[in-house]
Amino acid sequence: MRTIKMIGLDLDGTLLNREKKLTTYSKEILKEAICQGMIVLVATGRPLLGVPDFMREFPGMRYILTANGARIYDREDGNRLLYENLLSREDACAVLDVFEEYDTLKDVYYDGVGYANRLEVEHLERYYEDPAMREYIWRTRKRVENVRDKMKEYSFGLDKIQAVFAKRSEREEAMRRLKEKTDLAVTGALANNIEVNARGVNKGNGLLMLGKILGIEKEEIMACGDGLNDLAMLRAVGFGVAMANGNEEVKKYADYVTGSNDEDGVAKAIEKFVLR
């Protein structure tokens, strides 16, 4: 393995524990990696404003990859946008046509902000079993009466559109339909959600793009993740690390499986392979 120069980290189910917090041990390991000259960044499906303040403002963490790679920001330059690849409104409307056939909580991401239908957010327990996820959605989503109407307000494309399904069987059916009818990037971070980005958008391509901007080769990039929206990232980089709590498909393609997100798995992998 070549020397690691950049580390991309998923948040939910990966760097953050089940309470959506960063442990003291993990903080110290991230700080040490940054002190040793590593480019350490969040690589998340969340919109920019959905990234916790303690990660957006983490000392020395300059770059943030959001919405599965649709947007990459330079935090030290006033959140300057380095790269974007947006989903057209036409494509998003076609996806929304499918989502609306099922019992779903629908989100649209514009310019780093997540918008959701007010009535759906008021019944989060239908869509999210995890109390920490319910709290995150409640705190970060801007309520609108109808996301389709919200989309008409913008002349530019979306970062991402997603839906969380009340029934997993319906999620599987919708996933199959979307993959059959479109060449968009269709994936999911949870067992009951679907996330759709523009064609070719994924965390892996996002990290490679940032590497190109910074002069870092793919072999010099490490990434950690747990969900299906992390699979492309782990396969694209030089060294992919899956979490013990991760999806089995993700673990199958990883170069290494570390401890769970409740066992500081990310920190232990960085300590083992980067700090040494």
Side-chain angles (χ1 to χ4, degrees), residues 98-135:
V98 175
F99 287 165
E100 288 177 340
E101 293 183 31
Y102 305 96
D103 183 1
T104 55
L105 186 155
K106 294 162 282 291
D107 297 298
V108 295
Y109 294 3
Y110 276 100
D111 199 16
V113 181
Y115 299 91
N117 292 333
R118 178 181 56 81
L119 290 178
E120 293 164 8
V121 173
E122 290 177 356
H123 295 88
L124 285 176
E125 67 282 352
R126 290 182 60 81
Y127 310 103
Y128 289 98
E129 295 179 2
D130 182 0
M133 281 301 296
R134 292 200 296 266
E135 192 277 332

Side-chain angles (χ1 to χ4, degrees), residues 173-245:
E173 179 181 304
M175 179 79 80
R176 175 184 53 77
R177 291 175 60 190
L178 288 169
K179 287 186 174 181
E180 287 176 353
K181 69 181 293 188
T182 181
D183 63 351
L184 301 174
V186 182
T187 186
L190 307 174
N192 66 325
N193 89 321
I194 295 178
E195 307 175 16
V196 183
N197 289 93
R199 180 170 60 89
V201 170
N202 59 62
K203 295 181 183 183
N205 286 339
L207 284 181
L208 295 183
M209 176 59 67
L210 181 59
K212 183 177 180 180
I213 292 171
L214 300 178
I216 297 173
E217 301 292 332
K218 65 174 289 185
E219 293 81 10
E220 299 170 323
I221 304 174
M222 172 178 168
C224 301
D226 72 302
L228 288 176
N229 66 333
D230 298 316
L231 181 56
M233 175 171 71
L234 269 58
R235 297 184 69 177
V237 302
F239 192 66
V241 177
M243 310 302 293
N245 55 286

Side-chain angles (χ1 to χ4, degrees), residues 11-12 16 20 44-48 50-52 66-67 109 136 160:
L11 288 178
D12 301 298
L16 305 183
K20 305 300 180 188
T44 182
R46 296 187 184 202
L48 179 63
V51 177
T66 67
Y109 294 3
Y136 157 66
K160 186 179 83 171

